[in-house]
């Protein structure tokens, strides 16, 4: 039930144009100070996880 609600909220955010997807686009949004939260896939590579962890820590964005 909780997973369904979370996915529903993400769908609403996407329709509202408030959701950004893709590695480079997300990193650019974080650098611009526009990101509030970054969600990574559970099966993302260690390199990708580190890249987002470091970038989010630098710009004080929740990961």
């Amino acid at each position: 039930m909780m997973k369904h609600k979370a996915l529903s909220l993400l769908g609403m955010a996407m329709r509202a144009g408030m959701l950004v997807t893709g590695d480079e686009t997300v990193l650019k949004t974080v650098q611009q100070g526009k990101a509030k939260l970054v969600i990574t896939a559970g099966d993302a590579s260690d390199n990708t996880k580190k890249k987002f962890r470091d970038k989010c820590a630098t710009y004080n964005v929740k990961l």
Side-chain angles (χ1 to χ4, degrees), residues 9-52:
L9 289 172
L10 286 173
M12 285 177 36
M14 182 174 271
R15 286 190 298 276
M18 301 299 291
L19 185 70
V20 178
T21 59
D23 285 6
E24 297 305 318
T25 310
V26 172
L27 289 174
K28 186 176 178 181
T29 304
V30 169
Q31 289 174 330
Q32 292 173 343
K34 296 179 180 179
K36 304 293 183 211
L37 173 69
V38 174
I39 300 172
T40 59
D43 61 349
S45 70
D46 291 338
N47 185 39
T48 298
K49 289 178 185 177
K50 182 182 181 329
K51 181 171 44 174
F52 282 103

Side-chain angles (χ1 to χ4, degrees), residues 53-61:
R53 186 172 48 248
D54 293 347
K55 192 64 73 175
C56 288
T58 301
Y59 290 93
N60 198 27
V61 175

